[in-house]
Amino acid sequence: MLHIYCPHCGEYREEEEFHCAGQAHIARPLEPEACSDQEWGEYLFFRKNPRGLHHELWVHAAGCRKFFNMTRDTQSYEIKEVYKIGEQPSVVAE
Amino acid sequence: MQKYSGFGLFKHSLTHHENWQRVWRNPTPKKKYDVIIIGGGGHGLATAYYLAKEHGITNVAVLEKGHLGGGNACRNTTIVRSNYLWDESAALYEHSMQLWEGLAQELNYNVMFSQRGVYHTCHTLQDMRSNERLVAANRLQGIDNEMVDAEQLQKEIPSLDCSKNARYPIMGASVQRRAGNARHDAVAWGYARAADALGVDLIQSCEVIDMEISDGKITGVKTKQYGVLKADRVGCVVAGNSGVLAKMAGFELPVESHPLQALVSEPIKPFLDTVVMSNHVHGYMSQSDKGDLVIGAGIDGWVGYGQRGSYGIIEHTIQAIVEMFPCTSRVRMNRQWGGIVDACPDASPIISETPIKNLFFNCGWGTGGFKGTPGSGNLFAHTLADGKPHPIAEPFSIQRFHTGALIDEHGAAGVAH
Ligand SMILES: Cc1cc2nc3c(=O)[nH]c(=O)nc-3n(C[C@H](O)[C@H](O)[C@H](O)COP(=O)(O)OP(=O)(O)OC[C@H]3O[C@@H](n4cnc5c(N)ncnc54)[C@H](O)[C@@H]3O)c2cc1C
Ligand SMILES: [Zn+2]
């Protein structure tokens, strides 16, 4: 069970309160209509899925209901840091 | 290959079972193969077997970083069924089902395939509607699947709580009577033994750490233990590690790897002769021939490679089982473990060419690929032999994530593996 620090609440809470929304920092194409099928497909479905450091988007679903980012090791499950939307990670996955 | 039989068992008992032949060789790899298959799980071994058997391609190696069948092949809860929704899936899983039905004979290996039926219980009107839709679709596809009402269900499974007192009372269920389960290890071992007998080299403790690619074409793989091994074609069947291998080849997949857990209880007397799963309460259970209850439920919602999952999931799983089978509330759990499942956005697998020439991927089977083992191997062998997919495998190309022709099986997959 992950023990997660919510940067909005300023507290550690149990994983049960949170929901992982997948890979972080995926920007929606500014002009979707201008995308090729290839680009649109990549945006919607193709993911990094690394064995190691990963940047993820999480939501404190049963708490403040706000979104934030997390850098986590997908092998050891260690959480390296959490940071707010709009911020950049200080520990960077390759 | 030494033929297994009742008589053989008797004969070997006379010499205290000390003279059985080794089940497969332990070869040192050659420098060059026609086909290299990465991943010695059920799907990889089945692929090798059908390549040799149906396409006569025997200069084949299966490279496995651990031991054969030590991944999801030996971690799953062994449910086999073919009642998915769309025609593409129906064709795929039914192809597999028909291979299952003759598998023990074909491999001369008892895979303990038991067609004990698989029930999906319905707890809401929406459940009833979607299962009735599934049943109707399956009927049109010529696949057996039927609805039973709660009263009939109670008669068929006395230990299941079909009363009005349940928190989510059961309204009915669909059942595929030809579905059931099989012994997972035996499937991997059976295919391994048969493939080895046809000349396939099974190389254990051989990890692929890079791919040899030039001009957008693969020429071999780099292994940790044996250096570079050359091949004309490479098939990658590494389940949870597909993303890692794709990265070596320089592309991304529409796949994410998640931990999926299972539990088994202490052995108890037989009381459940079928498989019961509930998408709504979210759990499923069967009882093995040894008597232990085999239990599973959902994945952890984040990417994980640790072959272990969260305690919260175990708690939810057990809650669901006790809700469905109150009589199990005091049964103790013996073991719990996790496997890494490679999930696709549409809950359907990928059997496909890739951006790299002569490199093919078979992955994305997610939480439900055990049932697909024979069919997957059979079709992927075709892809590797011909360089283009079998008609049944064609819709399962990676291309569908660009064209939009997804095969959405979330309804039929659900908790149901
Ligand atoms: C808990 C659990 C329950 C499940 N229940 C069911 C069920 O009831 N019904 C069902 O149909 N399906 C079920 N599944 C899914 C099913 O187990 C998988 O879809 C299926 O086993 C995957 O195919 P495989 O057997 O080839 O995979 P695996 O056995 O995982 O084979 C992949 C192999 O690739 C090897 N490998 C990885 N990287 C490398 C490398 N770099 N070099 C060399 N080798 C490598 C691995 O060591 C592994 O042996 C379940 C899965 C889990 C985890
Ligand atoms: Zn919060």
Side-chain angles (χ1 to χ4, degrees), chain B residues 97-302:
Chain B
M97 179 66 98
Q98 288 179 14
L99 289 169
W100 274 111
E101 286 174 331
L103 196 60
Q105 292 300 325
E106 164 151 13
L107 298 178
N108 177 232
Y109 203 99
N110 187 1
V111 297
M112 295 169 75
F113 181 47
S114 158
Q115 292 174 294
R116 58 182 66 185
V118 173
Y119 292 81
H120 288 83
T121 57
C122 306
H123 306 255
T124 63
L125 273 178
Q126 179 55 38
D127 272 359
M128 288 295 286
R129 281 190 207 110
S130 62
N131 276 33
E132 276 164 7
R133 180 185 179 206
L134 263 168
V135 166
N138 290 153
R139 289 268 169 110
L140 290 173
Q141 292 149 349
I143 292 170
D144 72 306
N145 199 7
E146 64 191 85
M147 294 298 294
V148 290
D149 61 20
E151 203 180 320
Q152 175 66 19
L153 186 62
Q154 188 68 87
K155 281 197 199 116
E156 295 186 11
I157 313 174
S159 55
L160 181 67
D161 183 2
C162 298
S163 73
K164 293 265 177 297
N165 304 330
R167 184 161 174 204
Y168 303 104
I170 291 175
M171 302 174 77
S174 63
V175 50
Q176 184 178 25
R177 300 200 188 272
R178 278 163 73 233
N181 47 24
R183 170 137 190 244
H184 46 10
D185 296 322
V187 177
W189 298 338
Y191 273 120
R193 171 171 169 267
D196 173 86
L198 293 171
V200 171
D201 283 356
L202 307 174
I203 319 284
Q204 308 190 57
S205 299
C206 176
E207 181 175 358
V208 172
I209 51 170
D210 209 354
M211 309 226 179
E212 299 283 303
I213 295 169
S214 57
D215 300 330
K217 203 172 129 185
I218 192 158
T219 57
V221 297
K222 190 168 170 195
T223 66
K224 201 171 181 174
Q225 292 80 1
Y226 302 99
V228 172
L229 305 176
K230 296 268 172 211
D232 294 337
R233 287 191 178 137
V234 176
C236 189
V237 212
V238 294
N241 281 293
S242 297
V244 180
L245 275 286
K247 195 173 166 212
M248 291 177 199
F251 56 86
E252 282 179 8
L253 291 169
V255 165
E256 284 189 315
S257 297
H258 297 279
L260 175 65
Q261 302 182 75
L263 308 92
V264 292
S265 74
E266 59 191 347
I268 55 177
K269 284 194 174 163
F271 84 104
L272 183 63
D273 61 0
T274 183
V275 184
V276 182
M277 42 177 54
S278 163
N279 277 356
H280 192 77
V281 184
H282 214 249
Y284 62 90
M285 183 162 85
S286 63
Q287 187 171 22
S288 78
D289 294 359
K290 274 185 298 182
D292 28 21
L293 303 179
V294 181
I295 294 168
I299 57 168
D300 280 289
W302 28 265

Side-chain angles (χ1 to χ4, degrees), chain A residues 6 8-9 18 60 63-65:
Chain A
C6 172
H8 303 291
C9 296
F18 299 86
H60 193 177
C64 64
R65 303 181 62 191

Side-chain angles (χ1 to χ4, degrees), chain B residues 356-370:
Chain B
I356 306 294
K357 203 164 179 284
N358 293 340
L359 173 64
F360 302 87
F361 266 64
N362 181 352
C363 63
W365 287 88
T367 60
F370 176 68

